[in-house]
Amino acid sequence: MGLFGATGVGVGAIVGGGILALAGVAFRTTGPSALLAFLLNGILAVVTAFSYAEMSAAFPESGGTYIFSKKILSVPAAFMVGWVVWFASIIASVLYALGFASYAATAIARALSFAPFLQADVLTRKEGIALLAVAAIAVYSVGLIRKSAGGGQWATWGKVVVFTVIIVGGIWALKGRSASSLTAKLSPFFENGTVGLFQAMGYTF
């Protein structure tokens, strides 16, 4: 794995699908200050990336967080960290799968709306979304198994494409808007106070 591949894996691990699945929830929770929440989370992600870079340079071994905990703390601590990371990865996978299924169900239902006899609205129900989520996990798992080098690269490129579309779409939406109209949409900035801001960052009280 070269520098480009390693960088892609790192970016893919830090920039997760939660930014796509939970962006609407964040804006609903805190309003326009969700922009600040994304900025603060980005700073935390940069600090985390530098920390991992330093640890990886100090301990160039396979094992990631488990090895770091084992070298610095103890084997029991590393054991607990490993299980926590494993459990968090499962939760994240479920979140990403449900987020994908929700978007896919809406897109398919609208695409097939011209053929009401197909009953595409079934996909937008909880059962349909759950079925699409399981199918997404199955397809992704098969892809990982079939590729000895792992399937992280194409997933990372998929994120890059999606983010590019979102950024270009956002710039296009802002085209021709006056500064006063944009300012009006950002007021009140802290719609639910600072508590809403921290909730948008992932902290609950």
Side-chain angles (χ1 to χ4, degrees):
M1 180 181 293
L3 177 61
F4 183 80
T7 303
V9 171
V11 171
I14 293 175
V15 184
I19 194 174
L20 301 176
L22 298 178
V25 177
F27 278 97
R28 185 179 65 217
T29 301
T30 186
S33 60
L35 298 172
L36 180 59
F38 284 131
L39 175 61
L40 295 176
N41 275 332
I43 294 174
L44 292 176
V46 171
V47 173
T48 302
F50 278 123
S51 300
Y52 269 81
E54 291 289 343
M55 297 292 287
S56 299
F59 308 109
E61 305 176 31
S62 299
T65 308
Y66 173 84
I67 289 296
F68 304 155
S69 302
K70 179 181 177 181
K71 295 288 186 179
I72 296 176
L73 300 174
S74 62
V75 173
F79 177 83
M80 290 300 299
V81 167
W83 277 104
V84 169
V85 171
W86 177 79
F87 182 74
S89 298
I90 293 178
I91 299 300
S93 299
V94 173
L95 168 65
Y96 300 158
L98 289 175
F100 166 81
S102 179
Y103 286 122
T106 302
I108 294 173
R110 290 186 178 181
L112 299 179
S113 59
F114 64 92
F117 59 88
L118 294 177
Q119 296 183 349
D121 60 323
V122 175
L123 292 175
T124 59
R125 300 174 186 173
K126 291 189 295 185
E127 296 80 4
I129 292 177
L131 181 62
L132 286 175
V134 172
I137 293 176
V139 171
Y140 188 74
S141 300
V142 171
L144 291 177
I145 294 172
R146 295 185 61 182
K147 292 187 177 183
S148 58
Q153 287 302 307
W154 66 267
T156 300
W157 278 111
K159 293 179 184 177
V160 172
V161 171
V162 172
F163 292 145
T164 302
V165 172
I166 292 175
I167 292 172
V168 172
I171 294 174
W172 180 81
L174 292 175
K175 184 179 179 181
R177 297 288 184 89
S178 63
S180 58
S181 65
L182 294 177
T183 304
K185 289 184 178 294
L186 295 177
S187 180
F189 190 71
F190 292 97
E191 192 171 291
N192 294 317
T194 54
V195 173
L197 172 63
F198 284 107
Q199 288 177 340
M201 292 180 63
Y203 302 100
T204 57
F205 300 92

